[in-house]
Amino acid sequence: MVLFGFSKEKATELMLKVHNEGKATVSSGTREEMERDVQRLHEYGLWATLQRDNEL
Amino acid sequence: MSAFRRSDDGVIRALFTSQESHVLINLTEQLLELLGEGASQISHESDPFLHLVGFGANELPPDDPVLRRLLPNAYDDPEASAEFRRYTEHGLREKKRAHALTIYEALLPQDEEWNADNPIERGSIEIEIKEIETMDWLSGINDLRLALAVRLGIEKSDGSTQQRYELMKESDPMKAVYAVYNWLGSIQQSLIEAQ
């Protein structure tokens, strides 16, 4: 699966962040772009949500 | 099950026992059925445009917790979530069904006398996964594993789950489900290592 083009190291780091902290930010951009990313992540069975930056 | 091995032609192969194959056929059948349930029927008459572009009409998250995990909310906000679901849930269900179908069709025996109610022992079965089907397999097996995790009440991997199931009596049917859950994980690992 190549979705965001992360290196193996970066992907592993994000995976461990999800594993240990429950979530990680993997992508940011316009609402349209993020909805598309979330859609793709759901296809892979990943529990993705999106939110406005100022809510972080 | 033997480990998946990739040959020079890009095809990934493994040997499954007929029992393992039956378990996986059964699980994919159940997943296909579940993904079909509660899918909004797109009526040709009611809205030809929606029918044409494949949008469903579901706005609320599914009742079944497994479906809620496989087709999750995209927003914390229910209103934004409902709108997203309306435009994407149908397509997501179709994608997931297609992944499960790839697995199902690879496992389904070709011989005519075979039927699911009366399986004939066939010893071990060679499973062939073409390069183009690998992502379908990985996604589909992952969906099955997530579905079992929800049914088993697994939310974290802190070792408490393993302990809970190890202490269970052999006669407890959930112990067998947990074994299948672990097996699905080893299929995923073997597939990734073979890639």
Side-chain angles (χ1 to χ4, degrees):
Chain A
M1 145 186 177
V2 178
L3 184 50
F4 300 122
F6 291 137
S7 64
K8 197 170 179 179
E9 289 70 31
K10 179 71 182 167
T12 306
E13 181 195 317
L14 289 167
M15 178 273 287
L16 284 172
K17 195 163 191 290
V18 175
H19 185 77
N20 294 321
E21 296 169 33
K23 59 179 170 182
T25 304
V26 297
S27 184
S28 53
T30 66
R31 181 168 178 177
E32 285 72 25
E33 288 165 350
M34 291 310 98
E35 288 201 332
R36 210 157 42 231
D37 284 351
V38 163
Q39 215 173 323
R40 298 271 313 272
L41 290 165
H42 286 178
E43 283 169 25
Y44 291 117
L46 290 160
W47 196 340
T49 56
L50 62 149
Q51 58 185 299
R52 288 175 65 98
D53 214 11
N54 58 15
E55 289 171 12
L56 279 172
Chain B
M1 181 190 129
S2 71
F4 280 100
R5 296 250 179 275
R6 185 199 180 104
S7 49
D8 295 337
D9 53 3
V11 178
I12 295 173
R13 293 183 178 85
L15 287 174
F16 278 38
T17 67
S18 60
Q19 199 195 359
E20 286 168 337
S21 160
H22 289 150
V23 169
L24 213 45
I25 287 175
N26 233 308
L27 286 174
T28 47
E29 270 177 346
Q30 288 182 51
L31 183 64
L32 285 165
E33 204 173 304
L34 189 66
L35 286 166
E37 263 172 37
S40 57
Q41 295 304 311
I42 301 169
S43 158
H44 202 47
E45 292 82 34
S46 66
D47 196 330
F49 175 72
L50 284 186
H51 178 80
L52 196 70
V53 295
F55 290 163
N58 280 353
E59 293 192 349
L60 293 172
D63 291 331
D64 188 305
V66 169
L67 280 182
R68 276 208 302 279
R69 177 61 189 85
L70 298 179
L71 314 166
N73 280 338
Y75 290 90
D76 289 335
D77 173 48
E79 214 171 297
S81 241
E83 200 195 340
F84 183 84
R85 189 173 288 284
R86 183 169 150 80
Y87 292 109
T88 60
E89 193 199 270
H90 180 76
L92 187 57
R93 280 181 190 256
E94 291 301 302
K95 285 251 167 64
K96 288 187 184 286
R97 281 178 60 89
H99 298 158
L101 212 56
T102 301
I103 298 174
Y104 181 73
E105 283 171 352
L107 294 165
L108 213 58
Q110 300 302 314
D111 33 339
E112 281 172 22
E113 64 269 39
W114 189 90
N115 70 75
D117 299 324
N118 184 22
I120 302 162
E121 275 308 311
R122 293 172 305 143
S124 56
I125 300 143
E126 190 179 55
I127 307 297
E128 274 195 10
I129 306 175
K130 295 186 196 81
E131 204 158 17
I132 195 172
E133 296 169 336
T134 321
M135 270 322 298
D136 279 16
W137 266 79
L138 283 169
S139 305
I141 297 287
N142 195 43
D143 282 344
L144 291 174
R145 190 163 171 272
L146 287 173
L148 290 191
V150 172
R151 294 282 190 249
L152 289 162
I154 298 170
E155 286 177 358
K156 292 180 194 163
S157 60
D158 58 0
S160 63
T161 303
Q162 197 181 350
Q163 209 177 17
R164 181 154 49 99
Y165 285 98
E166 269 168 12
L167 291 171
M168 261 183 190
K169 283 193 196 129
E170 292 298 327
S171 57
D172 194 314
M174 289 316 264
K175 191 160 184 161
V177 178
Y178 182 66
V180 174
Y181 165 82
N182 276 328
W183 177 58
L184 290 173
S186 64
I187 295 179
Q188 285 182 310
Q189 187 170 352
S190 179
L191 269 172
I192 286 170
E193 284 168 357
Q195 279 214 73

